[in-house]
């Protein structure tokens, strides 16, 4: 088993797709995927529909892994991403990602939550104070 990484999945699914959506989903997500994001639960079909919508509106993006941990079939990761949308909007988010992996190493059950972040916290008033 070679476990997957969410940063690779994000790149292949949305930011720099080299595979068809179905190929990318098959590479990273088990057929019985349960994806829970910010309290909303999706099965693999609903997840695929959501990802297809994102993929069609992202011009480019980048992801930076901040923390990542495997413990057997358990996976935890924290990352930040920046993505530019077709309308010119730039989104900066930090995401906390917890997953159970299937025996073959793909994501089987996912819990994630995220929030928007300031792309340059040094520009905030008082940011230089400690």
């Amino acid at each position: 088993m070679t476990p997957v990484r969410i940063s690779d999945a994000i790149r292949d699914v949305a930011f720099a797709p080299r595979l068809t959506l179905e190929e990318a989903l098959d590479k990273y997500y088990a057929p019985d995927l349960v994806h829970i994001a910010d309290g909303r639960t999706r099965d693999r079909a609903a997840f695929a529909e959501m990802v297809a919508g994102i993929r069609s509106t992202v011009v480019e993006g980048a992801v930076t892994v901040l923390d990542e941990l495997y413990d057997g079939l358990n996976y935890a990761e924290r990352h930040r991403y920046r993505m530019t949308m077709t309308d010119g909007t730039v989104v900066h988010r930090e995401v906390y990602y917890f997953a159970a992996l299937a025996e073959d190493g793909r994501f089987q059950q996912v819990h994630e939550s995220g929030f928007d972040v300031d792309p340059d916290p040094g520009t905030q008033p008082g940011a230089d104070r400690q």
Side-chain angles (χ1 to χ4, degrees):
M1 169 190 86
T2 302
V4 294
R5 301 179 70 206
I6 189 56
S7 56
D8 294 335
I10 291 168
R11 287 181 195 102
D12 281 353
V13 170
F15 290 170
R18 298 168 295 154
L19 306 169
T20 68
L21 180 57
E22 195 58 38
E23 289 169 334
L25 291 173
D26 285 344
K27 180 175 180 178
Y28 295 101
Y29 301 96
D32 58 345
L33 172 71
V34 175
H35 180 266
I36 303 164
D38 297 319
R40 181 164 181 191
T41 302
R42 293 177 177 90
D43 63 9
R44 183 164 153 160
F47 178 73
E49 186 176 313
M50 177 196 70
V51 171
I54 293 169
R55 186 181 244 205
S56 71
T57 61
V58 172
V59 174
E60 61 88 28
V63 60
T64 302
V65 175
L66 303 172
D67 300 295
E68 187 170 45
L69 173 70
Y70 291 94
D71 182 16
L73 294 177
N74 296 308
Y75 175 79
E77 191 259 15
R78 180 174 68 104
H79 65 265
R80 285 192 174 190
Y81 68 79
R82 174 198 44 76
M83 66 180 171
T84 304
M85 312 304 282
T86 54
D87 67 0
T89 302
V90 179
V91 178
H92 296 265
R93 287 189 57 84
E94 183 165 321
V95 176
Y96 296 84
Y97 196 89
F98 303 92
L101 303 175
E103 290 294 327
D104 64 5
R106 294 185 290 173
F107 297 119
Q108 186 170 40
Q109 184 170 4
V110 172
H111 296 265
E112 69 175 283
S113 186
F115 52 91
D116 292 337
V117 294
D118 185 341
D120 185 7
T123 62
Q124 295 298 310
D128 57 343
R129 286 188 241 148
Q130 295 194 13

